[in-house]
Amino acid sequence: MARVAPLSAAGKQSEHPVDEVLPLPKLALYGFQHVLAFYAGAVIVPIIVGGALGLSREELVYLINADLFTCGIASIIQALGIGRIGARLPLIQGVTFTAVSPMIAIGLGAGGGTAALLVIYGAVITAGFATFAFAWLPARAFKAVLGLFPPVVTGTVITVLGLVLIPVGLNDAAGGVGSPHFGDPKNFAYAGGTMAFILVLMKIGRPFLSSIAILLGLVGGTAAAFLLGDASFTDVGKADWVGVTTPFHFGVPQFQWFPILLMLIVMLITMVETTGDTYAIGDIVGKKIDGETVARALRADGAATALGGVLNSFPYVAFAENVGLVRMTKVKSRFVVVAAGVFMIVLGMLPKAAAAVASVPHPVLGGAATVMFAMVALAGIQTLAKVDLKEEKNALVVGVSLAMALLPSTVPVLFKEHMNADLASLLNSGVTLGASTAILLNLVLNRLGPKEPQSEPEVADGVVTGVDQADAAPAHPAPAPAGVPAQVAPAGASADEPDGA
């Protein structure tokens, strides 16, 4: 099949791999791989929140389907773009983990059940519109906010995301928290076998095989588990064929000030995540990231979050897991994410299909996820490699932020027994603490105190440009680790012109 001419964000011919429209079979295959890589992270939030609020099995299935359906729409908006909304980069949108604890606290405070969902959705819708509005601030005001996210901050946040996600993958590798066989060596055998298979494909496989290594690892690991009697597809037969998501399924949202305040703070953190992921993906695909690109990504976050509240889902963020997948596969086309979005919409309407994907055993998923999460941390480390860490202030920002990110998992009793419940619901997250610490320390140490003279970011035609953006997306990406094919960036690759000021 002939290759379709690449298109730019403005619909003009482009030579950049991000704008390349691959042949349909490859689009479908690569897109489905993104879905598999994303699926566990997508469904875990509604599972945890729904379980904590005491929802029925039918209500929980509805939440999962609504989440997948909205994820598909949100990912298409982010990757394909609508006007000045969407970064037009291979970024998958998923429900943010940062919101889990606050949403559970909001829901339990509202008495649990579907009544609690109505209060949560009121807060989600409000926070989504607020994020969307923020991303439309005038260029100079937006520049001031972007100044809070230099490479030392974005690199730290991406590294924190990877380090916080790695235990999630390892817990799956052990069999899944709560499993009666959690920690069984057989689980680690499945996870290790899946991981080894992926690494072998990446090392000795042809480029095409390497690009779908995650997908083949999941299929191979599931097939092995099924043949050995450790994987079952019985839930597929019990699931309905069709399930349609409708707006305000559980009732009219309730708007209360404290839940809204909590959700606004959550969205501030997700803005840091999306900013970091946007710079990271720009570095991976060899495309310069400017202020308008970040603003478009944040507008997509806000629009998706507001839509999530309407369609019975939760706050959305650019998913770091799939940034790691792009880093591994070197498939840079944003239209692959559009294809993944179509798959997610279909899965959100076909509970049987979603149940089949969900049949991947936890250990198999954990083996693949651990590799991808480690690559997320690597993306952060590569960004930090461009920062002068011999400068004591920068070193303190990175070191202290990483330490604070480990606090909730290392000393959970502090948040459970010695902290106000509302405050604990906000701070009991490694991502929240790590990202907040990086922003505050950088502000105090590098921006408020004496500093070396440096070029200030400039505003031209509504676009923020300057040293921070240039540093965050170098023309020559850092070398890949041993065993991972080196990423290739075309000479002279640069960002598209913004769609207007």
Side-chain angles (χ1 to χ4, degrees), residues 2 102 135 155 185-186 213 230 293 312 464:
K186 181 169 64 174
D230 292 317
T293 305
N312 320 290
V464 182

Side-chain angles (χ1 to χ4, degrees), residues 5 8 37 72 80 87 131-132 148 158 167 175 209 212 226 281 309 333 358 420 455 459 471:
S8 70
L80 187 61
T131 303
F132 186 77
L148 300 176
I158 299 167
L209 289 178
I212 59 171
F226 179 76
I281 202 70
S333 171
N420 174 272
S455 59
V459 178
D471 289 344

Side-chain angles (χ1 to χ4, degrees), residues 16-110:
H16 201 286
V18 165
D19 300 313
E20 181 181 0
V21 182
L22 300 176
L24 185 59
K26 287 188 175 182
L27 276 179
L29 189 59
Y30 293 147
F32 191 63
Q33 180 174 241
H34 267 291
V35 173
L36 289 179
F38 149 96
Y39 188 86
V43 302
I44 193 64
V45 173
I47 287 175
I48 293 174
V49 174
L53 300 184
L55 301 183
S56 67
R57 181 183 179 278
E58 292 75 15
E59 291 167 339
L60 183 57
V61 169
Y62 193 94
L63 277 187
I64 294 173
N65 286 338
D67 178 25
L68 289 171
F69 184 82
T70 313
C71 283
I73 297 174
S75 296
I76 292 173
I77 292 173
Q78 186 71 275
L80 187 61
I82 299 177
R84 295 177 64 189
I85 303 171
R88 293 176 173 84
L89 292 169
L91 287 169
I92 289 280
Q93 293 292 104
V95 175
T96 174
F97 289 89
T98 307
V100 171
S101 294
M103 287 193 300
I104 291 176
I106 292 170
L108 294 179

Side-chain angles (χ1 to χ4, degrees), residues 344-439:
M344 285 185 276
I345 291 174
V346 173
L347 285 174
M349 299 175 66
L350 299 174
K352 278 189 179 295
V357 177
S359 297
V360 175
H362 280 287
V364 173
L365 188 62
T370 300
V371 176
M372 289 188 298
F373 296 162
M375 298 305 289
V376 173
L378 174 63
I381 293 171
Q382 287 178 317
T383 300
L384 290 175
K386 300 185 284 290
V387 177
D388 181 12
L389 294 179
K390 293 181 180 179
E391 168 60 49
E392 184 177 340
K393 295 176 182 179
N394 289 334
L396 284 172
V397 171
V398 178
V400 176
S401 299
L402 292 177
M404 292 301 293
L406 298 176
L407 182 60
S409 60
T410 306
V411 193
V413 67
L414 170 65
F415 303 90
K416 293 180 180 178
E417 299 181 11
H418 303 290
M419 189 176 292
N420 174 272
D422 292 332
L423 184 61
S425 69
L426 179 63
L427 298 180
N428 191 15
S429 164
V431 174
T432 300
L433 280 180
S436 301
T437 302
I439 294 172

